[in-house]
């Protein structure tokens, strides 16, 4: 009883403690009425923002944290930050904060009025305007596993205060964490200055992602879509409406894009200058015709490859391509001779300067002659895998295209040496370069050419991997083209000193660049003669794979070629003596030297290479088995400014 009457409220009423660890739990068994004389203290409401953690018999209370706020509240706080730098700093806290900051649209940034001095307020407003609008000076590229939504969100937030994002290139890897609509939405909201967007191999990006870009990036000028299989016509429709300043459109391997999307671009993008469509089976004549007719005075570059278009598209190009300067037609199986003939006679390609045709079975002599007549300003013409082109069509083209400067033939097997020389004899006064690659119909002349006028304008000659090209052709070229400066004879096993020496002796202007790689039958006699006659103009010499070249050639080069900056003697017969001869020369100033695969170049050349390294920027020592790794390490340490391959 004494304990009962002496109870003051601070001691425990029962020695064993309350039967209810939590006083609230007593309400479950003891209802409180007005007739029950029991004292029970009032309970406080627990704070929601400060969670309790149960530990043993006590409740431990954590410190209040902003992380317990829902995304809506945290978003409202972040959008009210005074500047872009503050938002960027907050985005570094966690991925959650980064996601929230990246989803703040520029129109959602709250303007907070402060009591700052007027001059400071003006400065802050200028900075804020720069943060929101940006100039689009920055470029970013994401490839492979780095192409994720999180990185795009970081780019969107980080570039806003540093000039604005102008170019974005994304090449995905089709991984689970690849780019989705979420990442493109962040770019759309944070990068209104985006002008160039390239999306490659992004199977997880669909129409919704491109709609986000169209809604937020109205300054977009260049769009490149490659192998984005989930993108359809709806994407192009949204881009066409939201980005009317589009000037460059490239679509490749997008199987769900067809005529409807191309027609939308034609209606809404009057300033389109460049168009490239490849491997899109749903794109046909309707889409191409609508684009050409709508952008007749703005479209300058057109590339059509692996499409189901017919002669109708070529006819429209020939009539409406008034501004086209660069045209490429590749792998068009449904185009016939009639299409090329109508295109040439349409007289609309008056400004065409560069024309590439590849793997089009409709290219014939008749169509090629019409193209030559209908394109009076054509300067560069490239014909590849044209199976029905013969000597007659090539000569007719040379006669008709009076402004032609460069002609390239690749895998045109019906063209023979007569068509080759006939084009040189009938070309215009501006013709400067001709190239033959893998043309199996070219054979060596059995009879010399009759005395005819010279082709004084030709400056560049390139013959690669034409096994029938021999000494008689080279000798005839020397007489026909005395002003040659750049000569490339690569992989020609049929030429020898007897054919190349007359060419060297006939060149009056002085050879500047000479590539003889793979000409296994040439010897030191050719190199010594070339160094003697053209050493004062020679700048580049490639003798890769010429096994008969020895130190005598290097001695002649060291004594005569004072302008030579690039020398390749890989897989030749040179030794340490030849390297030493180059090093002793006071005239030569090499910048690039390649002795790859020269088995007789050893560690003894280390001092000579060190001396040459005073001017060298690149040195290739690969497959030089007589040079030790220790010698290479010394060279790397000594030639710190030279890029050494070993």
């Amino acid at each position: 009883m004494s304990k009962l009457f002496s109870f003051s409220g601070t001691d425990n009423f029962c020695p064993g403690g309350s039967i209810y660890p939590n006083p609230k739990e007593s309400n479950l068994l003891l209802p409180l009425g007005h007739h029950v004389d029991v004292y029970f203290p009032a309970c406080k409401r627990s704070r929601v923002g400060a969670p309790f953690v149960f530990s043993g018999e006590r409740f431990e209370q954590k410190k209040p944290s902003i992380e317990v706020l829902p995304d809506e509240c945290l978003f409202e706080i972040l959008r009210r930050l005074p500047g872009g730098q503050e938002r960027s700093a907050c985005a570094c806290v966690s991925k959650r904060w980064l996601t929230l900051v990246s989803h703040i649209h520029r129109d959602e940034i709250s303007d907070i009025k402060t009591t700052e001095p007027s001059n400071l307020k003006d400065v802050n407003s200028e900075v804020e305007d720069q943060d929101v609008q940006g100039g689009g000076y920055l470029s970013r590229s994401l490839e492979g596993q780095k192409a994720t939504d999180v990185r795009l969100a970081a780019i969107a937030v980080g570039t806003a205060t540093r000039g604005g994002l102008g170019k974005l290139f994304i090449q995905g890897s089709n991984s689970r964490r690849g780019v989705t609509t979420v990442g493109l939405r962040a770019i759309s909201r944070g990068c209104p200055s985006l002008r160039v967007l390239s999306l490659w191999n992004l199977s997880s990006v669909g129409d919704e992602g491109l709609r986000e870009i169209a809604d937020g990036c109205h300054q977009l000028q260049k769009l490149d879509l490659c192998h984005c299989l989930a993108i359809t016509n709806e994407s192009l429709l949204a881009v066409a409406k939201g980005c009317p300043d589009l000037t460059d459109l490239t679509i490749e391997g997008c199987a769900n894009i067809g005529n409807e999307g191309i027609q939308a671009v034609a209606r809404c993008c009057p300033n389109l200058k460049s168009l490239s469509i490849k491997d899109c089976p749903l794109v046909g004549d309707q889409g191409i015709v609508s684009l050409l007719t709508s952008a007749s005075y703005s479209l300058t570059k057109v590339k059509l490859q692996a499409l189901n278009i017919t002669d109708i598209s070529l006819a429209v190009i020939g009539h409406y391509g008034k501004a086209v300067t660069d045209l490429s037609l590749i792998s068009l199986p449904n185009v016939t001779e009639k299409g090329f003939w109508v295109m040439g006679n349409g007289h609309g390609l008056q400004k065409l300067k560069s024309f590439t045709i590849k793997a089009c079975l409709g290219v014939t002599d008749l169509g090629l002659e019409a193209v030559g007549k209908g394109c009076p300003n054509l300067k560069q013409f490239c014909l590849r895998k044209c199976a029905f082109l013969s000597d007659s069509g090539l000569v007719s083209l040379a006669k008709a295209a009076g402004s032609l400067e460069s002609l390239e033939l690749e895998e045109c097997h019906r063209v023979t040496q007569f068509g080759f020389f006939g084009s040189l004899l009938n070309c215009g006064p501006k013709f400067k370069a001709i190239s033959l690659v893998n043309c199996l119909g070219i054979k060596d002349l059995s009879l010399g050419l009759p005395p005819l006028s010279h082709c004084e304008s030709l400056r560049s000659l390139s013959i690669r991997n034409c096994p029938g090209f021999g000494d008689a052709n080279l000798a005839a070229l020397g007489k026909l083209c005395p002003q040659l400066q750049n000569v490339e004879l690569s992989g020609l096993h049929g030429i020898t000193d007897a054919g190349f020496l007359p060419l060297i002796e006939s060149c009056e202007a002085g050879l500047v660049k000479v590539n003889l790689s793979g000409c296994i039958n040439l010897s030191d006699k050719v190199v010594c003669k070339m160094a003697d006659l053209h050493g004062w103009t020679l700048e580049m010499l490639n003798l890769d794979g010429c096994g008969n070249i020895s130190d005598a050639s290097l001695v002649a080069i060291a004594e005569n070629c004072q302008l030579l900056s690039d020398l390749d003697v890989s897989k030749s017969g040179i030794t340490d003596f030849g390297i030493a001869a180059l090093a002793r020369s006071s005239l030569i100033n090499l910048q690039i030297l390649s002795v790859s695969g020269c088995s007789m170049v050893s560690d003894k050349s280390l001092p000579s290479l060190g001396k040459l390294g005073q001017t060298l920027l690149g040195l290739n020592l690969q497959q030089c088995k007589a040079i030790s790794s220790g010698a290479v390490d010394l060279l790397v340490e000594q030639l710190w400014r030279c890029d050494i391959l070993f």
Side-chain angles (χ1 to χ4, degrees):
M1 294 295 290
S2 60
K3 290 184 178 181
L4 179 61
F5 288 101
S6 63
F7 176 72
S8 61
T10 57
D11 300 330
N12 291 331
F13 185 77
C14 299
S18 174
I19 63 174
Y20 301 107
N22 188 350
K24 294 182 179 180
E25 296 178 1
S26 61
N27 292 334
L28 300 175
L29 298 177
L30 298 176
L32 297 181
H34 65 278
H35 60 279
V36 180
D37 190 12
V38 178
Y39 172 76
F40 189 85
C43 298
K44 287 186 176 181
R45 294 180 60 189
S46 59
R47 176 180 292 179
V48 177
F52 291 91
V53 177
F54 181 80
S55 176
E57 295 182 354
R58 296 182 179 179
F59 287 92
E60 296 181 359
Q61 186 174 0
K62 283 187 174 181
K63 294 182 179 181
S65 173
I66 195 174
E67 288 294 338
V68 301
L69 292 177
D71 290 345
E72 294 80 1
C73 296
L74 191 55
F75 181 86
E76 291 297 326
I77 295 174
L78 294 175
R79 80 181 185 90
R80 284 173 168 77
L81 292 176
Q85 294 182 355
E86 288 78 4
R87 289 190 293 275
S88 296
C90 289
C92 298
V93 173
S94 65
K95 289 184 179 180
R96 180 193 177 200
W97 285 39
L98 171 62
T99 303
L100 291 174
V101 173
S102 65
H103 281 72
I104 299 176
H105 196 273
R106 58 185 179 274
D107 297 333
E108 296 172 338
I109 298 176
S110 178
D111 295 331
I112 302 177
K113 296 182 180 180
T114 61
T115 58
E116 297 178 353
S118 59
N119 55 350
L120 293 179
K121 189 173 182 180
D122 294 339
V123 173
N124 289 338
S125 62
E126 292 178 1
V127 174
E128 186 67 21
D129 291 340
Q130 183 180 0
D131 293 345
V132 175
Q133 297 179 1
Y137 306 112
L138 302 179
S139 299
R140 293 293 183 267
S141 178
L142 297 177
E143 297 182 5
Q145 296 181 354
K146 294 182 179 180
T148 61
D149 290 338
V150 174
R151 290 184 180 269
L152 284 181
I155 289 175
V157 175
T159 58
T161 59
R162 293 173 175 83
L165 184 65
K167 299 179 180 179
L168 178 60
F169 305 92
I170 307 175
Q171 184 173 354
S173 60
N174 294 326
S175 62
R176 295 181 179 179
R177 300 177 56 188
V179 173
T180 65
T181 301
V182 176
L184 294 183
R185 182 181 296 117
I187 294 296
S188 171
R189 298 194 174 190
C191 306
S193 58
L194 187 67
R195 297 190 302 272
V196 178
L197 177 62
S198 179
L199 305 178
W200 282 41
N201 299 325
L202 298 177
S203 59
S204 56
V205 172
D207 294 334
E208 186 178 355
L210 270 188
R211 278 198 297 265
E212 292 287 346
I213 295 295
D215 291 340
C217 303
H218 301 297
Q219 300 181 29
L220 190 67
Q221 297 178 358
K222 182 176 181 180
L223 179 62
D224 185 359
L225 304 175
C226 181
H227 296 290
C228 298
L229 301 180
I231 292 178
T232 68
N233 291 325
E234 294 183 6
S235 295
L236 283 189
L237 181 60
V239 170
K241 292 181 178 180
C243 309
D245 294 332
L246 194 68
T247 60
D248 194 319
L249 178 61
T250 300
I251 306 173
E252 178 179 346
C254 298
N256 293 318
I257 292 180
N259 293 326
E260 184 179 350
I262 303 299
Q263 289 172 340
V265 174
R267 290 192 304 268
C268 303
C269 303
N271 298 321
L272 192 67
K273 295 181 180 179
S274 177
L275 173 68
S276 177
I277 306 178
K278 176 182 177 181
D279 194 18
C280 296
L282 298 182
V283 175
D285 291 327
Q286 293 180 357
I288 302 303
V289 168
S290 62
L291 264 179
L292 265 296
T293 54
S294 300
S296 178
Y297 294 96
S298 63
L299 197 60
T300 59
K301 184 177 181 180
V302 178
K303 180 179 180 180
L304 305 177
Q305 181 173 354
L307 302 179
N308 293 322
I309 61 175
T310 65
D311 296 337
I312 297 176
S313 294
L314 265 64
V316 172
I317 292 174
H319 184 75
Y320 289 97
K322 302 182 183 301
V324 175
T325 59
D326 192 332
L327 178 61
S328 296
L329 303 177
I330 303 173
S331 300
L332 303 178
N334 298 326
V335 173
T336 66
E337 178 185 66
K338 181 180 179 181
F340 285 98
W341 185 86
V342 175
M343 182 177 64
N345 286 279
H347 301 292
L349 297 174
Q350 298 294 311
K351 295 183 178 181
L352 186 64
K353 296 181 180 180
S354 178
F355 195 6
T356 298
I357 304 176
K358 180 179 179 181
C360 293
L361 298 178
V363 177
T364 61
D365 297 342
L366 181 63
L368 199 61
E369 182 180 4
V371 169
K373 294 180 179 179
C375 305
N377 294 306
L378 185 63
K379 295 182 178 181
Q380 299 176 356
F381 205 172
C382 179
L383 296 166
R384 299 175 180 172
K385 297 183 179 181
C386 297
F388 296 105
L389 174 63
S390 67
D391 296 338
S392 176
L394 188 61
V395 173
S396 299
L397 173 67
K399 292 180 179 179
S403 299
L404 192 64
E405 297 180 0
S406 174
L407 177 62
E408 179 180 348
L409 302 177
E410 181 176 351
E411 295 188 33
C412 297
H413 301 308
R414 293 188 64 184
V415 175
T416 69
Q417 64 274 17
F418 301 107
F420 171 68
F421 282 102
S423 62
L424 293 178
L425 293 172
N426 291 277
C427 64
K430 299 180 180 180
F431 193 64
K432 297 179 180 179
I434 190 169
S435 174
L436 298 180
V437 182
N438 294 325
C439 293
L440 303 182
I442 302 291
K443 306 297 180 181
D444 209 16
L445 287 173
S446 57
L447 299 174
L449 293 176
L452 298 171
S453 60
H454 294 168
C455 182
E456 298 284 351
S457 60
L458 193 68
R459 297 291 185 272
S460 178
L461 171 67
S462 177
I463 312 292
R464 291 179 289 166
N465 300 321
C466 297
F469 202 92
D471 291 338
N473 289 341
L474 277 184
L477 279 173
K479 298 178 181 179
L480 185 62
C481 309
Q483 300 299 322
L484 282 176
Q485 295 179 339
N486 303 322
V487 175
E488 180 180 9
L489 305 174
S490 178
L492 303 184
H493 297 170
I495 63 173
T496 64
D497 295 349
F500 196 69
L501 283 174
L503 178 67
I504 296 175
E505 296 171 352
S506 301
C507 293
E508 302 173 356
L511 294 174
V512 177
K513 297 181 180 180
V514 178
N515 184 355
L516 303 175
S517 60
C519 296
I520 58 177
N521 292 317
L522 296 180
S523 67
D524 291 326
K525 186 176 181 180
V526 167
V527 179
C528 293
K529 190 68 173 180
M530 182 165 45
D532 182 34
L533 296 179
H534 305 281
W536 57 284
T537 58
L538 194 61
E539 298 178 2
M540 190 276 286
L541 178 60
N542 189 340
L543 301 171
D544 182 11
C546 299
N548 295 327
I549 300 300
S550 66
D551 295 333
S553 295
L554 293 187
V555 172
I557 290 172
E559 294 176 352
N560 297 282
C561 302
Q562 56 185 353
L563 297 180
L564 190 66
S565 61
D566 190 339
L567 176 61
D568 190 343
V569 287
S570 301
K571 298 186 286 294
S572 65
I574 66 168
T575 67
D576 296 326
F577 180 80
I579 301 297
L582 289 177
R584 288 193 301 267
S585 175
S586 59
L587 299 177
I588 198 167
N589 292 294
L590 284 176
Q591 294 183 356
I592 306 295
L593 175 62
S594 178
V595 293
S596 173
C598 296
S599 58
M600 290 182 286
V601 176
S602 66
D603 290 347
K604 296 180 181 180
S605 295
L606 184 62
S608 300
L609 291 175
K611 186 176 181 181
L612 289 171
Q614 296 177 1
T615 59
L616 281 179
L617 300 177
L619 176 61
N620 189 353
L621 301 176
Q622 292 178 321
Q623 304 299 322
C624 293
K625 299 179 180 180
I627 298 180
S628 63
S629 58
V632 175
D633 293 337
L634 291 175
L635 277 177
V636 171
E637 183 178 353
Q638 181 181 357
L639 308 179
W640 56 270
R641 57 174 290 188
C642 181
D643 186 12
I644 300 178
L645 298 178
F646 179 70

